[in-house]
Amino acid sequence: MIIQLKLGTANNDYGEGLMMVQVSLTNLQKGERGKVSAIDAGKHATKRLYEIGFNTSAHVTVIKNDAGPVVVSINGNKVALGRGLAHKVMLAKE
Amino acid sequence: MKTKRIALVGNPNSGKTTLFNAITGSNQHVGNWPGVTVEKKEGSFTYKGASYDVVDLPGIYSLGAFSEDEIVSMEYILSDDADVIINVIDASNIERNLYLTTQLLEMGKNVVIALNMVDEAERRQITFDLDAMAKGLLCPVVPTVASRSNGTELIIKEAIGAMGKRTRRENPLTYSENVAHHLGHMEELLTGKGLPYPPRWAAIKVIEGDSHVIARLEASTDDEEVKRGIKEFHRFHSSDNFELEIVDSRYAFAHRIAEQTVKRPQVEVVTLTDKIDKILINKYLGIPIFALIMLAVFQLTFAIGEDLLGGYAATLVDGFGLWLERLLSWANAPQFLISFMIDGVINGVGAVVEFVPLITVMYLLLSFLEDSGYMARAAYVWDNLMRRFGMQGKAFISMIIGFGCTVPAIMSARTMDNKKDRMVTMLVAPFMSCGAKLPIYSVFIAAFFPSHGGLVLFSLYAFGIILGLLMGKLFNKTLFKGESSYFIMELPPYRIPSAKSVVRNMWLNVSDFIKRAGTIIFVVVTVMWLLAVLPKAAIPYSQASYLGRLGTLLIPVFRHAGFGTWQESVALFAGIPAKEAVVGTLGMLYAGQYMEEGAMLVTAVQQHFTALTALAYMVMVLLYTPCIATLSTVGKETKSLRWPMAMALYTFVIGWVAAVMVFQIGSLLGFA
């Protein structure tokens, strides 16, 4: 498994010190939680993700991540994201 | 005075259409997946002697729209046509739903909130402080359970009450310093320019970079200063992400309201949905379970609709035919009238009507699936496989809708915001066998495969899916290159379908089937009957009739598929206006031909076909040119004449090739 690590400078929104480890949503296992930090997808997809709750610092819990789209719980709502797209959602692991 | 209007606005699958049906007494199609409603629907109701119009809109997540269905909603909201908006919110999902609400408030819209499906939220132990919510959002909040018409009176009352207080509201949002600074300037630039939107809101949209609204602003004014101002703003700030900052302020607002007014349990209640999903969307079991569900649907359709109830319908139609025949001879009716009523109407149209129980059962089962929440799961489990064929999971929902009728299947492709995905979905939709083809299969199954009805049906539908996938791949490699769009699908909670909505959805389809039997099928069969009994010199229903001559011309076309006589070819063409007419025409022609023997349609089919040619014929029916309604829908959706024509042609060729292959390979293998 490739773990994509990105070093981002945390700004005051996150308030978690100077460095933050970002992982892609596809790298989170079932049951793991993260906080949305960046979305690196196309314009449409990014906007759609914002709209359905993947805004900055939204909490995401992975429900299923094996084959097929990744299923997450966000605000108590179940959403499936295709793997390609899920890969572009970066989170700060919690 | 113009009738006052109420518009229903909300996220997909929040229950707008259910509320619409409850308020107006309409019977619009509802289902438990996001994207059921793809067009604007209108209805009305009377309250205290006054009449009000209600507009039901497709679901949207925000006021920035991409796909056709969302654009309909957005345009409508922007048009300012409604006197009040009922914002329907899924109570279990407040924060995300409030995101749209904040945008309506940003616009200064006159909003009343229906906090819908509060019963489900209660089961998940979510509680609300309604007064605080109303105060925070500056608008009335009414808890509702639209499926049981709970709270509908009150929401109507609040909506009507709000109509009087039509004033621009204060925008309750606070933006980041940076954004606020630019907002001020932009608002100044846009003020007093006679733009179609309030300047403050337009400024937000410009800074957010909403291309749709910007295009409309630019189109609505000749003011060079405005145009230049907008252009320059985006040039200078191309690297800033104001959009995200604005989105975050909206969520901050929604989050604050939710925090103050909604209490969720510390530990999320593990719902039945979670348990069911462990199995239904399991990586190994997902697709096999889908196949099992479909197999069960077809087995039940046959066992109940045909074996159990089919006989009654047939007896009824036959009994009515006998009675009518006696009545007509008693009244000394002219021979041509008797022939028309008995051969044409009873054996033609009646042959179609006999299948009402069959399609009733199938539509009941499909409605049950639609209402259960399974559709979104089917899209989920198929996404991976669909991608290998250049499509995506969402297209699979359209495909399942196609099992009922191809027209809504094609319209449902509107929810795709990528043109390529949408076109491919529309182009393969006809291969999903629809309800109108069921009577045709049913006749051939009764004639040749009576004990394997469900299985034959399942195989045909499966073959349709496989061919749809292959054609999708082909289109993806040629006309519509490129990767399929991203997949985002909400997985709504499973619900035990309400009897009311299942029956309503079923009835929508069945009544349409009956209506078609009395209209288009009747017309087609009548025309066919006239052509079969004319000219006067020819023996009626013989090869010498006009229809016989036409059919004879077509025989060479279908010879390689094994359809030997003219009746079969003619019936296929009769099926182009509407598929049921294949059965209607065969029924009419065979009844005319075998009048003396008093043969039933099934026995006649046994004489004209073998098991192999019957199979080839069913494959042809499955794949060939879709009905006129489908073609005209494709024309409307693509705004072209070329696509429906191309579709009519290419499906015919595919159907013909497949039927010929079935017959030729089957013959080689020694089947007959």
Side-chain angles (χ1 to χ4, degrees):
Chain A
M1 189 178 70
I2 310 154
I3 296 193
Q4 192 184 345
L5 293 176
K6 262 195 194 169
L7 297 181
T9 44
N11 59 31
N12 19 0
D13 280 351
Y14 311 117
E16 286 171 7
L18 283 171
M19 282 209 290
M20 183 181 58
V21 180
Q22 287 195 115
V23 292
S24 152
L25 179 55
T26 43
N27 294 133
L28 288 186
Q29 299 306 307
K30 183 181 164 181
E32 290 187 314
R33 276 166 64 88
K35 217 166 158 187
V36 177
S37 56
I39 296 172
D40 185 23
K43 198 170 179 301
H44 279 192
T46 305
K47 187 153 189 171
R48 177 74 1 127
L49 283 169
Y50 289 161
E51 290 171 359
I52 61 165
F54 288 81
N55 59 310
T56 316
S57 67
H59 296 278
V60 174
T61 310
V62 173
I63 295 178
K64 180 174 185 284
N65 179 9
D66 41 28
V70 179
V71 182
V72 301
S73 163
I74 183 161
N75 293 325
N77 179 31
K78 260 186 181 182
V79 181
L81 298 187
R83 295 199 80 77
L85 185 60
H87 192 69
K88 294 170 182 159
V89 177
M90 305 306 293
L91 305 117
K93 206 168 151 182
E94 288 180 303
Chain B
M1 199 182 78
K2 182 177 158 269
T3 314
K4 297 271 189 199
R5 284 183 164 232
I6 300 173
L8 298 175
V9 174
N11 282 185
N13 212 29
S14 58
K16 293 171 294 301
T17 305
T18 308
L19 186 61
F20 177 80
N21 284 340
I23 294 177
T24 63
S26 307
N27 286 312
Q28 294 298 340
H29 186 186
V30 294
N32 182 15
W33 82 87
V36 183
T37 308
V38 293
E39 56 186 344
K40 192 173 91 181
K41 299 268 169 70
E42 299 192 23
S44 63
F45 68 92
T46 328
Y47 182 80
K48 290 193 175 158
S51 179
Y52 298 90
D53 287 340
V54 186
V55 179
D56 183 26
L57 295 166
I60 45 171
Y61 290 111
S62 82
L63 287 181
F66 308 125
S67 56
E68 290 294 320
D69 60 324
E70 294 172 324
I71 288 171
V72 170
S73 294
M74 196 180 73
E75 292 283 348
Y76 185 81
I77 295 166
L78 294 185
S79 77
D80 225 13
D81 177 64
D83 295 279
V84 62
I85 287 174
I86 295 182
N87 179 200
V88 184
I89 286 182
D90 173 0
S92 307
N93 209 340
I94 289 268
E95 271 192 52
R96 197 206 58 211
N97 278 258
L98 281 183
Y99 182 73
L100 175 64
T101 312
T102 59
Q103 289 192 300
L104 296 173
L105 298 177
E106 258 180 338
M107 277 187 93
K109 287 284 178 192
N110 200 6
V111 178
V112 174
I113 288 176
L115 192 63
N116 198 23
M117 301 187 272
V118 278
D119 53 340
E120 212 161 271
E122 241 163 64
R123 273 198 295 280
R124 292 167 72 173
Q125 298 171 22
I126 305 171
T127 53
F128 307 96
D129 181 345
L130 295 173
D131 290 333
M133 198 181 286
K135 233 175 245 151
L137 295 170
L138 310 168
C139 55
V141 178
V142 179
T144 57
V145 183
S147 60
R148 283 191 265 124
S149 298
N150 284 356
T152 42
E153 277 267 348
L154 195 56
I155 191 81
I156 288 172
K157 216 177 107 201
E158 289 288 358
I160 293 171
M163 283 173 183
K165 302 174 231 152
R166 201 173 172 165
T167 46
R168 286 270 165 227
R169 285 158 196 275
E170 199 66 24
N171 176 0
L173 270 74
T174 41
Y175 302 96
S176 69
E177 222 171 283
N178 198 8
V179 168
H181 167 77
H182 291 296
L183 261 181
H185 286 294
M186 189 54 71
E187 189 182 359
E188 209 173 290
L189 174 72
L190 300 177
T191 304
K193 298 290 175 5
L195 297 170
Y197 311 117
R200 174 80 178 174
W201 183 76
I204 296 171
K205 285 284 149 184
V206 169
I207 290 169
E208 194 184 350
D210 186 319
S211 47
H212 198 87
V213 174
I214 291 170
R216 286 182 130 232
L217 282 174
E218 286 174 339
S220 68
T221 180
D222 290 326
D223 193 314
E224 280 308 314
E225 201 193 339
V226 169
K227 288 187 181 178
R228 206 174 46 238
I230 294 175
K231 207 162 277 155
E232 275 178 8
F233 178 82
H234 286 292
R235 199 149 42 100
F236 285 134
H237 299 285
S238 59
S239 58
D240 290 285
N241 197 348
F242 290 130
E243 186 191 0
L244 183 57
E245 284 186 41
I246 293 177
V247 168
D248 284 342
S249 357
R250 288 185 190 133
Y251 268 114
F253 177 78
H255 189 72
R256 205 179 68 232
I257 299 280
E259 213 157 50
Q260 291 163 352
T261 64
V262 184
K263 249 169 99 183
R264 286 176 172 277
Q266 278 294 314
V267 184
E268 281 282 337
V269 181
V270 178
T271 55
L272 191 59
T273 292
D274 301 324
K275 291 177 198 158
I276 297 175
D277 268 345
K278 280 220 165 91
I279 303 164
L280 289 196
I281 62 172
N282 178 285
K283 80 172 150 172
Y284 303 111
L285 299 178
I287 289 184
I289 286 177
F290 171 80
L292 275 179
I293 290 176
M294 290 327 285
L295 184 62
V297 166
F298 298 129
Q299 292 285 14
L300 281 173
T301 299
F302 252 84
I304 303 172
E306 179 77 7
D307 301 344
L308 199 66
L309 302 173
Y312 296 111
T315 315
L316 215 68
V317 171
D318 294 347
F320 180 71
L322 275 177
W323 174 82
L324 189 68
E325 196 170 0
R326 259 184 241 142
L327 182 78
L328 288 171
S329 7
W330 172 80
N332 267 330
Q335 189 52 44
F336 81 89
L337 185 66
I338 298 184
S339 161
F340 171 68
M341 289 309 285
I342 301 305
D343 298 337
V345 178
I346 299 297
N347 287 305
V349 179
V352 176
V353 174
E354 279 178 21
F355 292 101
V356 167
L358 186 74
I359 65 142
T360 302
V361 176
M362 192 184 74
Y363 283 124
L364 264 181
L365 294 170
L366 286 180
S367 307
F368 189 89
L369 272 189
E370 287 186 8
D371 235 28
S372 67
Y374 183 69
M375 298 287 271
R377 272 73 184 184
Y380 174 89
V381 297
W382 278 85
D383 183 62
N384 249 6
L385 197 63
M386 295 286 282
R387 269 177 203 283
R388 291 196 201 154
F389 292 91
M391 290 181 274
Q392 62 139 311
K394 228 173 171 182
F396 203 76
I397 290 188
S398 303
M399 288 162 81
I400 304 178
I401 296 172
F403 289 167
C405 177
T406 318
V407 171
I410 283 171
M411 287 173 60
S412 71
R414 286 182 191 174
T415 61
M416 303 193 175
D417 54 18
N418 169 319
K419 179 157 185 264
K420 176 206 141 261
D421 280 359
R422 190 170 169 220
M423 284 306 299
V424 175
T425 306
M426 286 200 270
L427 287 174
V428 304
F431 295 136
M432 304 307 124
S433 194
C434 72
K437 292 177 185 171
L438 210 51
I440 313 173
Y441 305 141
S442 186
V443 166
F444 286 89
I445 286 170
F448 294 102
F449 317 99
S451 45
H452 303 289
L455 202 62
V456 172
L457 216 51
F458 174 77
S459 314
L460 280 168
Y461 277 67
F463 185 60
I465 293 179
I466 292 168
L467 217 83
L469 290 177
L470 291 174
M471 289 313 296
K473 183 81 190 167
L474 185 70
F475 286 127
N476 188 232
K477 285 269 175 229
T478 53
L479 292 172
F480 302 100
K481 289 186 185 157
E483 231 175 89
S484 194
S485 171
Y486 57 85
F487 176 75
I488 300 180
M489 176 64 64
E490 268 189 79
L491 303 178
Y494 291 104
R495 295 193 188 113
I496 294 178
S498 84
K500 200 163 85 185
S501 73
V502 170
V503 170
R504 174 168 47 217
N505 286 350
M506 176 277 285
W507 179 243
L508 281 176
N509 287 301
V510 172
S511 60
D512 187 54
F513 181 89
I514 296 170
K515 221 183 307 166
R516 277 205 315 275
T519 52
I520 186 159
I521 308 298
F522 178 78
V523 171
V524 172
V525 172
T526 304
V527 171
M528 291 288 150
W529 176 80
L530 274 172
L531 291 172
V533 296
L534 291 175
K536 268 192 150 164
I539 304 169
Y541 309 104
S542 74
Q543 210 157 354
S545 67
Y546 288 135
L547 199 62
R549 289 184 221 169
L550 184 74
T552 310
L553 283 179
L554 294 170
I555 287 180
V557 178
F558 295 110
R559 196 171 40 221
H560 300 290
F563 316 152
T565 57
W566 62 270
Q567 289 94 333
E568 288 87 83
S569 331
V570 161
L572 282 177
F573 277 85
I576 292 178
K579 291 294 159 220
E580 302 95 318
V582 174
V583 164
T585 304
L586 284 179
M588 181 266 290
L589 291 175
Y590 291 154
Q593 192 183 356
Y594 298 108
M595 201 157 37
E596 293 83 16
E597 302 157 36
M600 304 270 291
L601 178 54
V602 170
T603 3
V605 163
Q606 282 167 337
Q607 287 181 20
H608 281 251
F609 289 85
T610 64
L612 182 62
T613 54
L615 199 61
Y617 200 73
M618 285 195 281
V619 166
M620 180 75 191
V621 165
L622 167 72
L623 305 173
Y624 87 119
T625 309
C627 69
I628 295 288
T630 298
L631 294 173
S632 84
T633 306
V634 172
K636 269 184 240 154
E637 298 292 299
T638 57
K639 298 188 184 73
S640 84
L641 211 72
R642 262 194 319 195
W643 281 115
M645 276 168 31
M647 177 183 274
L649 218 74
Y650 111 83
T651 48
F652 189 89
V653 172
I654 298 277
W656 184 83
V657 170
V660 168
M661 278 172 71
V662 167
F663 179 66
Q664 297 296 341
I665 294 172
S667 303
L668 277 179
L669 295 177
F671 293 104

